[in-house]
Structure formats: C-alpha cells, structure tokens
C-alpha cells in the first residue's frame, strides 16, 4: 500500500492540512478530492480533516485509495522485467494484445496481470502507461496507482521519457542517421491504417543504423511523439517499411510472421524515488532468427 509522508517544518506551521497536501504532495485535483472523500489523511497517526491546522513536527501521512481491475484471469505467461509497489515493467511477447477490445475481449496482458495478482495475493488497478501494437514486442509500463500514472504521463507530455525501438526495415538505408518529421492522420475512419496527411498530427521519428544486412537494415528508433503506428508509417514513407508489416508494405512471411519491431529500452524518472531508471529488453527470437537469415543471403 503506497503511503506519502511529510513532517511539518516551521515554514508550514499554522497551515491547514489541505494546504499541506496541496503544497507538498504532487497530487492531481481529482486524486486530492478522492483522498478527502475517503478520509485517507492522517495527522500523527490519527484521522484528520482538511481544515485542521498543523504545528511544527506534526507528521502528515496520506494513503492512496485501494483500487482493483475486474478482468477475467487467464494463465498467460508474463516476462516481468521489474516490479515494485508502484509500477511494473513487462517485456511483452509478440501476438499479445495489451488491453481488452471488442475484437479481443480476452487473451490480453490485462487478463494475464489479473491472474498474476490472484497467484501473488496482490491487488491493484491495472493502468497501462504506454501501449504496444499486438505484434510489436518489448517494454510495457504499467502503473499501479493513479499518482504514478499521472506523474509518468506528465513526463511523456514534456518529452522527458526516452523510448528506443529496434526494427528490421526493408532495403539499405543510406547514411547512418536521419529524421522523419511528417504529420500522421487516419485517412479512412473505417480503416485501421494511418498515413502521412497534411492536416495530421505532428510526428517526429529519429533513426540510426545499427547494422547493414544484405537487402535490409537493422535500425534503432527514438520517438519525439507517440502517434499510432508512427514508426511503421514513417519508415514506409521514406521507402523502408518494417519487415513483416503487411499494412505498410513490408510483408515477408518467409522471414517473420509479424512486423519486426521491438520496444528495446525505456528511461524515465521514477515517480516515488525521483531517480532516473532505465530498462532494456533483448531482441526476441523471431527477430534474431530473421537477422541471422538475412545476414547469410
């Protein structure tokens, strides 16, 4: 159970508890209201009201609300890279949908996490901070409470989170580095495909060559923005679609049965410790196999 604490100093002497909360606890207004409604604030170990005043040396502690998700539990394997009381990092396998949808109501990461919680006796609400396409593998960040979700989401808005991807793309890219900065939109609301459009959302992708294969290139990609299918659209736009990507021109089932795209690293400020953390996930077997075969051609 996540708890926040603050010991009142002379600078805060005489303030009301609610003023202390607003000044020293980085909560959203929605979370503050819920804490107040559920009476989750304590002064020196005793329940307190927001209008109560504090004195130097008082300890104000706040417990976050208990929440839980309600997805059917399914015994789906999870590769958990990291876990603490506030967040979890998963190395998602390809072919797994992150969150239940109309087309995929079960068999998702959410169902797997519900089963994991049942097995470990842990209870928390599943909050996916980032999303990966069903056939994209790699690092998935899950927040266990609204504070952590809001904190990391704000980092994303400020472009303070670094996400790196690896992809095998068709053709040999000329030059070692490059940038694609063209807007992305959805030409047809009935079609899942995105495309480069004048009135689309601003989108920027940086790429660098990791290895030149015979007729393909292994690249690392860093996103400034996070549009749906951004890497796939941008690489196709410059004539180097992601290998195996049937939507954007890179299909090759003889080499790989999904787009060869992997979320390889993730760096951000941990909401609780305020320290920078970095996580990495190695390339999955199907991409390694494709690279090995392409290297022999």
């Amino acid at each position: 159970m996540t708890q926040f604490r603050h010991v009142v100093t002379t600078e805060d002497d005489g303030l009301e508890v609610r003023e202390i909360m607003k000044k020293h606890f980085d909560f959203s207004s929605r979370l503050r209201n819920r804490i107040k409604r559920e009476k989750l604030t304590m002064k020196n170990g005793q329940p307190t009201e927001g209008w109560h005043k504090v004195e130097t040396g008082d300890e104000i502690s706040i417990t976050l609300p208990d929440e839980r998700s309600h997805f059917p539990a399914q015994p789906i394997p999870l590769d958990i890279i990291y876990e603490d009381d506030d967040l979890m990092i998963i190395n998602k396998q390809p072919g797994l949908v992150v969150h239940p949808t109309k087309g995929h109501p079960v068999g998702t990461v959410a169902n797997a996490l519900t089963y994991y919680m049942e097995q470990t006796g842990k209870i928390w609400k599943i909050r996916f901070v980032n999303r990966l396409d069903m056939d994209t593998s790699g690092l998935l960040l899950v927040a266990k409470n609204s504070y952590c979700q809001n904190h990391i989401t704000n980092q994303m808005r400020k472009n303070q989170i670094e996400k790196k991807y690896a992809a095998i793309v068709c053709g040999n890219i000329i030059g070692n580095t490059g940038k694609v900065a063209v807007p992305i939109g959805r030409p047809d609301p009935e079609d899942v495909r995105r495309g480069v459009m004048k009135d689309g959302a601003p989108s920027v992708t940086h790429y660098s060559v990791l290895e030149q294969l015979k007729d393909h290139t292994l690249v690392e990609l860093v996103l400034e923005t996070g549009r749906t299918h951004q890497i796939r659209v941008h690489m196709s736009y410059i004539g180097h679609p992601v290998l195996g990507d049937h939507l954007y021109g890179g299909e090759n089932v003889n080499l790989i049965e999904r787009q060869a795209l992997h979320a390889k690293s993730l760096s951000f400020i941990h909401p609780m410790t305020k320290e920078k953390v970095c996580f990495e996930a190695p390339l999955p077997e199907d991409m390694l196999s494709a690279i090995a075969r392409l290297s022999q051609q």
Side-chain angles (χ1 to χ4, degrees):
M1 184 179 295
T2 299
Q3 192 171 67
F4 295 80
R5 291 182 175 85
H6 174 71
V7 177
V8 176
T9 64
T10 53
E11 182 183 344
D12 299 327
D13 194 272
L15 292 179
E16 294 181 351
V17 169
R18 58 190 166 199
E19 294 174 315
I20 292 292
M21 185 191 300
K22 196 167 185 179
K23 182 177 179 181
H24 293 285
F25 298 96
D26 185 22
F27 298 149
S28 66
S29 57
R30 182 177 180 181
L31 181 55
R32 285 199 304 270
N33 288 336
R34 183 164 182 184
I35 289 169
K36 176 184 176 182
R37 187 169 63 249
E38 297 187 18
K39 301 184 183 302
L40 299 173
T41 306
M42 310 278 279
K43 183 174 76 170
N44 300 325
Q46 298 297 320
T48 186
E49 298 290 346
W51 51 268
H52 287 173
K53 292 192 175 182
V54 300
E55 297 178 353
T56 301
D58 285 343
E59 181 183 81
I60 303 301
S61 58
I62 298 172
T63 302
L64 293 184
D66 279 336
E67 299 177 291
R68 65 179 65 201
S69 296
H70 300 282
F71 302 107
Q74 292 181 279
I76 300 169
L78 287 175
D79 181 9
I80 299 173
I81 299 293
Y82 174 83
E83 181 182 17
D84 60 26
D85 290 338
D86 301 287
L87 55 85
M88 175 185 286
I89 308 290
I90 296 169
N91 181 17
K92 186 186 85 68
Q93 62 264 47
L96 190 61
V97 173
V98 171
H99 194 279
T101 63
K102 187 175 181 180
H104 295 89
V106 293
T108 71
V109 175
N111 301 112
L113 283 171
T114 303
Y115 180 81
Y116 171 78
M117 283 189 274
E118 284 187 357
Q119 297 301 301
T120 58
K122 301 175 182 178
I123 299 174
W124 39 274
K125 186 171 182 178
I126 300 167
R127 290 177 162 89
F128 294 108
V129 181
N130 66 323
R131 300 289 180 95
L132 297 177
D133 295 337
M134 179 176 73
D135 287 329
T136 298
S137 57
L139 296 177
L140 185 66
L141 174 54
V142 187
K144 295 185 177 182
N145 55 63
S146 59
Y147 173 78
C148 285
Q149 181 186 36
N150 291 338
H151 195 285
I152 299 173
T153 300
N154 286 335
Q155 291 182 55
M156 286 183 172
R157 290 196 189 103
K158 297 174 183 177
N159 202 26
Q160 294 173 335
I161 291 185
E162 186 176 70
K163 296 180 285 185
K164 292 182 180 180
Y165 294 76
I168 306 170
V169 299
C170 300
N172 293 117
I173 293 179
I174 298 174
N176 292 323
T177 62
K179 180 173 84 169
V180 187
V182 289
I184 292 175
R186 191 170 185 174
D188 182 355
E190 302 299 319
D191 193 328
V192 70
R193 281 176 291 190
R194 269 61 174 177
V196 173
M197 301 173 62
K198 271 188 177 180
D199 58 350
S203 309
V204 180
T205 303
H206 299 266
Y207 64 84
S208 57
V209 173
L210 295 177
E211 183 180 354
Q212 290 284 6
L213 307 169
K214 185 177 180 183
D215 297 311
H216 295 75
T217 309
L218 176 64
V219 293
E220 180 179 271
L221 306 115
V222 177
L223 304 182
E224 280 191 28
T225 53
R227 313 302 176 198
T228 300
H229 296 179
Q230 178 174 319
I231 289 173
R232 299 163 65 186
V233 171
H234 275 175
M235 297 312 290
S236 179
Y237 176 76
I238 64 171
H240 297 285
V242 177
L243 175 68
D245 190 350
H246 69 280
L247 279 182
Y248 300 104
E251 184 172 18
N252 189 331
V253 294
N254 295 321
L255 287 169
I256 195 167
E257 295 182 353
R258 53 107 179 183
Q259 68 259 15
L261 181 60
H262 178 70
K264 62 177 284 191
S265 72
L266 186 63
S267 301
F268 59 94
I269 303 299
H270 193 294
M272 301 302 294
T273 66
K274 302 301 186 284
E275 295 180 353
K276 185 175 183 178
V277 290
C278 303
F279 301 96
E280 294 189 359
L283 288 178
E285 287 299 322
D286 60 350
M287 287 183 65
L288 290 173
S289 175
I291 291 170
R293 291 175 63 187
L294 288 168
S295 299
Q296 295 170 2
Q297 292 182 1

